[in-house]
Structures are given as structure tokens and as C-alpha cells.
Amino acid sequence: MSTLVLNLDDRLKLRLDALAAHHRKPLSDWAAEQLGRLAADAGEIPSASYSAEWMAAFGSIADPSFAAPERVLPTAVESLDAAS
């Protein structure tokens, strides 16, 4: 079994603790289930993940000549050095 370590800020930890408690599970068990669900859903086709209304509005391009616009990569940003 592998281990995943997550560093959570206090606010996020409180929110996740509340969600896990709502499901009557320890945070680690609840988080593992959620990550497993995300991994399982990643292989599904998008139409299974979105509502019928969303697909009708945004996922209904049936024109075979449609080409998605090119996505420009974001510009690089230098990291901030907190020590200086």
C-alpha cells in the first residue's frame, strides 16, 4: 500500500474534517474514497460527468469541421524569494 501525504492549511482541514464527519468516517478514509472516485471517473467520457443541461448548452458541437482554438501557454513567472 502506498502513502500520500498532504499538507493542508487550517481552513481547508476544518472543511474536510466536517465533510468526513458528515459521512461518519475518519478524514484519511474519506479522503482515500474521494481520491479513488476521482481516479475512477477520470476514464469516463465527459458526457457521463456533466448534466444533460450542460451538455445541451456547451457540449453539443456536432460540426465535424470544428477545431478547438489553440490554447496559448501562460507566460513564465519567476518565483518570489521570501528571504530577500
Side-chain angles (χ1 to χ4, degrees):
M1 176 175 277
S2 297
T3 300
L4 174 66
V5 176
L6 299 173
N7 295 315
L8 307 173
D9 63 39
D10 292 337
R11 184 176 176 192
L12 180 57
K13 171 121 176 30
L14 287 173
R15 294 179 71 192
L16 294 178
D17 279 336
L19 287 168
H22 178 75
H23 289 91
R24 294 186 172 98
K25 295 183 179 184
L27 178 56
S28 58
D29 294 345
W30 178 83
E33 283 182 7
Q34 298 305 310
L35 289 171
R37 184 174 296 125
L38 284 171
D41 291 346
E44 291 185 11
I45 55 172
S47 60
S49 302
Y50 295 101
S51 68
E53 293 81 10
W54 189 96
M55 289 301 292
F58 303 108
S60 60
I61 299 173
D63 182 357
S65 67
F66 174 77
E70 183 178 327
R71 294 181 184 210
V72 180
L73 294 175
T75 57
V77 177
E78 290 185 37
S79 63
L80 297 175
D81 185 8
S84 57

